[in-house]
Every structure is written in structure tokens, then in C-alpha cells.
Amino acid sequence: MPVTMKNKTNRTFLFLLSLNLFIACDCFVQYACFDSRERLISNQNPSLVCTNMVGFGAPGDKRKKEKELKLRPKQQWDRYFKLKTETALRVAVRIKDKDSEWLEVGDVKSKENAYPEIAVAKHRGLISEHARRLFPLQILKSAKMEWAFLEEESEEWVKVDITVLTDAPEGIEKLTGFEGRPDPATGFYCHYKDGRLTNYK
């Protein structure tokens, strides 16, 4: 009987030892395969490995989050009307790199009249879209534009450089607004009373 128990103990020991060796070998093989795969990827395209290492705080991710917010026409029109005591600045566009006439598109406002150029630059997308509605023959869809506002004292158009946005305060879209000239063909920026357009110029 003692001999049988000893044999069983030896067999159990050998089984556990074999199992541990098998697990250790399997882990080693998986690690070796993973390491080889990573080396292969890094040799073929190092940027793939770098991308996995940057994490959530990477500069690339931050730049994507800072992508400029696309403004909505109705929302910015509402904000324009909320700026009741501010002065409306007339805005216009023209084809870039061409000494053509300025085509008036609408008006912008800014809180306490503090951001005239920034207001134009911030709304350049809405201004450009509306310009194409108003002047489909003069401004093609592929045309690149310049933007300007009318300076009251000199009565001259002042061209706006979009680099002014680097000095814009956070949330500037909430401090500014845009109203385009009414376009009866599409209904954009039109006021109606009793079924009749009241703000057509």
C-alpha cells in the first residue's frame, strides 16, 4: 500500500511539473510571436508603433479636437438679433486674387462692437455659402473668396485676414452673429408677414 501511494505521489508531481512547463513554454512562444510581429511592423512602418504609444494626450489628437467649429446659419442669425444695441457691419466678398468689385452679402455684429474683423473671419463659411446663393453666376462653387467689411468713416471695404482668429477669445461664436441679405429663391434670411416678404432690399 505505501508503495502505491508513493507511485501516485510521483505521478502527480510529474503531471504538475509537466503542466507548469507547458504553460511556461506557451507564454514564451506567444511573447516571441508578439515581439516578432511588433518588430516587423516597426521595420515596415514605424509610425504604426508610434501611433499606439501616443495615447489620448497626443498632440495629434488635440489638433483634431481643436478643429474649427462649423457654424449653423439659423443659430448665428438668432445670435445676430440678440445683439440689439450693437452696430451692424456690412460684409462683402470677391473672387480671390482678382481686382473685382466687392459683392455685398449681409451684415455681422459683435458684442459691444469689439470684434469686427474677427466676426467676419469667424463667419466666412456662412458668408461664402450665402454669396454663392445670391450670386450664382459671378461666384462658382470652386471659386476661392476674400472677405471684407465696410468701414463707415471711409466708406471703403476693409479686407479681412483670417489670421485674426488667433486672437479670438474662446466661444467667440456666441459673441457674434451674421444675417445675410434675403434670398427669396431659397428663403434664406427672409422675413415674412401675412405671406409677404418684408425685408427684401
Side-chain angles (χ1 to χ4, degrees):
M1 185 68 179
V3 175
T4 303
M5 288 296 296
K6 185 177 181 180
N7 290 337
K8 287 185 178 180
T9 301
N10 290 338
R11 284 198 297 271
T12 303
F13 175 79
L14 290 174
F15 172 78
L16 294 174
L17 181 60
S18 300
L19 181 61
N20 289 331
L21 288 173
F22 175 81
I23 293 173
C25 291
D26 183 65
C27 292
F28 176 80
V29 170
Q30 290 186 24
Y31 173 81
C33 293
F34 176 82
D35 183 65
S36 298
R37 184 171 65 253
E38 289 297 300
R39 289 176 184 274
L40 178 60
I41 292 174
S42 63
N43 288 335
Q44 293 178 344
N45 192 348
S47 62
L48 294 177
V49 176
C50 293
T51 301
N52 291 332
M53 294 174 62
V54 292
F56 291 101
D61 292 339
K62 186 176 181 181
R63 283 195 293 269
K64 290 180 182 178
K65 291 178 182 178
E66 292 177 352
K67 187 177 180 180
E68 189 172 354
L69 178 68
K70 183 175 175 62
L71 302 181
R72 291 180 289 179
K74 180 62 168 64
Q75 187 175 54
Q76 294 309 114
W77 194 19
D78 290 341
R79 286 169 175 166
Y80 175 91
F81 281 110
K82 288 180 180 179
L83 299 169
K84 297 180 180 180
T85 60
E86 280 73 11
T87 303
L89 287 177
R90 294 160 63 183
V91 294
V93 301
R94 71 180 180 186
I95 304 299
K96 188 176 182 180
D97 299 328
K98 288 187 178 182
D99 192 18
S100 56
E101 65 173 325
W102 290 100
L103 302 173
E104 191 168 348
V105 179
D107 305 274
V108 295
K109 286 183 179 181
S110 63
K111 186 70 173 179
E112 299 178 353
N113 303 317
Y115 313 103
E117 292 182 82
I118 292 176
V120 177
K122 188 66 179 177
H123 290 84
R124 68 188 185 280
L126 296 181
I127 295 171
S128 298
E129 288 175 5
H130 196 53
R132 291 188 176 94
R133 294 188 196 100
L134 296 174
F135 309 103
L137 298 180
Q138 295 97 316
I139 303 176
L140 301 178
K141 289 185 177 181
S142 59
K144 294 183 178 180
M145 286 177 260
E146 295 177 325
W147 310 270
F149 66 91
L150 187 68
E151 192 176 62
E152 292 185 356
E153 294 183 2
S154 64
E155 293 188 351
E156 293 183 355
W157 292 105
V158 179
K159 189 171 73 171
V160 173
D161 192 323
I162 63 172
T163 57
V164 298
L165 290 174
T166 57
D167 299 323
E170 186 176 354
I172 186 62
E173 67 279 356
K174 298 177 182 178
L175 306 177
T176 55
F178 168 69
E179 179 185 38
R181 287 177 53 189
D183 179 28
T186 62
F188 270 80
Y189 303 105
C190 293
H191 292 284
Y192 292 94
K193 185 176 181 180
D194 298 328
R196 300 182 62 182
L197 183 63
T198 61
N199 65 329
Y200 186 70
K201 300 178 183 179

